[in-house]
Amino acid sequence: MSGYTAPRIFVRGVYFDNVTLEEASERLRTSVREGRRETVFTPNSEIVQACIDEPALYGVINAASLVIPDGIGVVKAARILGTPLKGKVAGVDLGRCVLDFSAQDGVPVYLLGGKPGVAETAAERLCGEYAGLNVVGTRDGYFAKTGAETDEVVRAVNESGAQVLFVCLGAPAQEKWIVENRDRMPSVRVFLGLGGSLDVYAGTVKRAPKLFIRLGLEWFYRLLKEPRRIGRMMRLPKFYFGTWIYKLTKK
Ligand code: UDP
């Protein structure tokens, strides 16, 4: 068998692939070349805690073929549980690696998600950055996630001939949408659930300064910039302390 496969690490019910950014990207590149289908999710600890709170979500998140830890909380939890991961792999960075090899290999890409205009702006900027990038379609993410509007989006993706589909609708809506609809988009080889990445590529949202990223404080920067996230971020301490309790009490 070719392609990179890494052991999976179990963190509070979610199976993470223990890969670096380069390994994840190489595996996806090989899969596209060899015609294998991949579904990539990038949960952070908020999403793992959401699974703990609403167990039906496990079935959705664990239905991916590649799950990368996009959060320092998940990396810390894996360490606490005695099964360390190689490190955080930011979904927004993996998205860039996929764009890079898609441009080099002539793989058609579709960008779905964000407010009206964001995907188009992202496409323009990305085409300027990655020579040869072939963006075959864009669409904002404000459509009904089931029924006729979703059918129309699926049709547009199919007609575009995209082989890589960025789905940036926020978590866990994007993960549910991918799992519910991926079988209807047979030409797509890589589905990526990438949250707010199109906003970053379009330049409407800035990533944290490098120092914050290096210190593992990207979450804190996001909280400063988007205080409305405080409610969902309360899942972070719940997840962290819950992981200690889980470790100390499990048989
Ligand atoms: N979004 C969307 N459709 C929706 C709701 C949200 O396309 O119905 C987009 C939103 O514009 C933003 C992204 O989804 O670009 C969510 O970003 P966020 O930073 O909240 O990502 P998360 O952390 O939830 O993955």
Side-chain angles (χ1 to χ4, degrees):
M1 197 177 113
S2 56
Y4 185 86
T5 44
R8 293 192 128 184
I9 294 206
F10 187 69
V11 181
R12 311 282 315 273
V14 174
Y15 291 94
F16 285 89
D17 289 87
N18 193 14
V19 287
T20 63
L21 178 64
E22 292 72 26
E23 288 164 347
S25 171
E26 203 41 49
R27 167 166 149 179
L28 295 177
R29 187 175 201 170
T30 307
S31 291
V32 172
R33 283 184 176 158
E34 298 182 355
R36 269 196 306 277
R37 278 159 72 77
E38 298 269 14
T39 297
V40 186
F41 293 158
T42 65
N44 56 19
S45 47
E46 279 171 45
I47 295 304
V48 181
Q49 185 62 48
C51 291
I52 296 166
D53 294 340
E54 188 200 327
L57 254 187
Y58 280 120
V60 175
I61 302 299
N62 286 327
S65 58
L66 184 66
V67 181
I68 63 166
D70 186 354
I72 203 72
V74 172
V75 174
K76 284 200 169 131
R79 205 177 300 140
I80 290 169
L81 296 171
T83 48
L85 284 156
K86 289 176 182 171
K88 170 178 166 171
V89 178
V92 65
D93 292 334
L94 182 58
R96 283 197 170 279
C97 293
V98 172
L99 291 161
D100 194 23
F101 76 66
S102 296
Q104 289 177 36
D105 298 353
V107 176
V109 174
Y110 196 109
L111 306 180
L112 173 65
K115 298 210 172 81
V118 168
E120 286 82 349
T121 307
E124 270 165 38
R125 290 181 58 153
L126 293 168
C127 287
E129 283 176 57
Y130 299 95
L133 182 65
N134 182 16
V135 178
V136 289
T138 57
R139 170 79 161 80
D140 70 75
Y142 291 81
F143 58 90
K145 306 301 181 289
T146 54
E149 291 184 21
T150 277
D151 292 347
E152 188 209 313
V153 172
V154 166
R155 192 163 49 242
V157 171
N158 284 335
E159 282 171 5
S160 75
Q163 290 183 5
V164 166
L165 178 61
F166 282 67
V167 183
C168 302
L169 309 173
Q174 64 203 7
E175 288 80 4
K176 287 183 183 163
W177 192 85
I178 290 173
V179 171
E180 279 163 16
N181 293 291
R182 61 184 171 184
D183 290 347
R184 300 204 285 153
M185 291 175 274
S187 70
V188 176
R189 297 195 177 154
V190 177
F191 295 87
L192 296 148
L194 287 184
S197 298
L198 293 182
D199 293 307
V200 175
Y201 303 150
T204 50
V205 169
K206 293 248 174 310
R207 273 195 85 185
K210 288 211 166 56
L211 183 65
F212 279 75
I213 296 178
R214 225 178 16 246
L215 295 175
L217 291 174
E218 196 165 7
W219 61 272
F220 182 60
Y221 180 83
R222 283 195 90 178
L223 182 60
L224 290 179
K225 287 293 211 191
E226 299 170 70
R228 66 179 168 80
R229 300 179 78 93
I230 185 73
R232 40 189 290 190
M233 279 199 171
M234 289 314 290
R235 291 206 190 108
L236 297 178
K238 192 174 173 193
F239 176 74
Y240 184 76
F241 292 113
T243 300
W244 273 110
I245 291 167
Y246 175 86
K247 179 186 164 72
L248 297 172
T249 56
K250 84 176 165 176
K251 304 273 174 294

